Amino acid sequence: VDGIGDRPESADMTDISRLVPLDRIGSAGLDYVVEAKPEELEKLAARLLIPDVLRLHCAFHLRRVEAGVIEAEGLIEAEVVQVCVVSSEAFAQDVSEAFSLQFVPAGTEAPDDDLEAPDQIPYDTTALDLCEAAAEQHALPLAPHPRTPRLA
């Protein structure tokens, strides 16, 4: 596939953010869903360097755990098109994965040496960008060397 490894200018995700103000997260937490629009799916595919993202649904439950730290648990579901590393054939693949992460004030991230600790996403505003978090969570379960199911 031409262009693998070259991230196009359109891969910038800042224009498809979902900013959720921190003050919306009350004592009971906040449930929030990111459902990507077609133009957002196209930009996400470019960012991930894959042919297509056909669907992206990410459900979050946000809750405050300590000063400035917001815990997010949820489920990401997507349908993507990847290219088989053996046959160069494009194939669709469903992704469904539960996740747990923390939003932390920028500059307070813990070292990455604890593999059991939840992923941390820094923020430096009065809002969390849940689209960015969804994009990061979507990238994690993708196979680095995808194979079409008929060759797996």
Side-chain angles (χ1 to χ4, degrees):
V1 175
D2 292 334
I4 293 294
D6 298 328
R7 182 168 294 166
E9 296 288 326
S10 65
D12 180 19
M13 297 294 284
T14 57
D15 58 339
I16 63 168
S17 66
R18 300 287 197 292
L19 294 177
V20 175
L22 291 173
D23 60 8
R24 284 193 54 200
I25 306 168
S27 60
L30 175 69
D31 291 322
Y32 194 92
V33 173
V34 172
E35 188 79 45
K37 299 173 188 147
E39 62 273 11
E40 295 170 332
L41 296 172
E42 185 177 312
K43 290 178 182 183
L44 183 56
R47 178 180 181 172
L48 298 174
L49 303 173
I50 61 176
D52 209 352
V53 178
L54 303 171
R55 179 179 59 85
L56 174 66
H57 174 95
C58 190
F60 291 88
H61 178 72
L62 305 170
R63 69 181 187 94
R64 295 177 184 275
V65 292
E66 56 187 79
V69 178
I70 308 296
E71 182 180 77
E73 292 183 340
L75 178 68
I76 185 145
E77 296 175 311
E79 184 179 2
V80 300
V81 175
Q82 292 190 278
V83 176
C84 177
V85 295
V86 176
S87 68
S88 297
E89 166 187 353
F91 65 98
Q93 175 183 23
D94 288 324
V95 174
S96 180
E97 187 157 303
F99 64 87
S100 179
L101 61 90
Q102 290 181 337
F103 290 95
V104 297
T108 66
E109 303 91 5
D112 285 342
D113 53 0
D114 183 357
L115 298 177
E116 299 300 316
D119 289 339
Q120 293 185 330
I121 298 177
Y123 68 90
D124 58 5
T125 64
T126 58
L128 305 177
D129 188 347
L130 295 187
C131 194
E132 175 62 25
E136 288 185 21
Q137 293 308 303
H138 177 58
L140 293 174
L142 294 179
H145 305 289
R147 291 177 184 250
T148 182
R150 68 180 186 79
L151 293 178

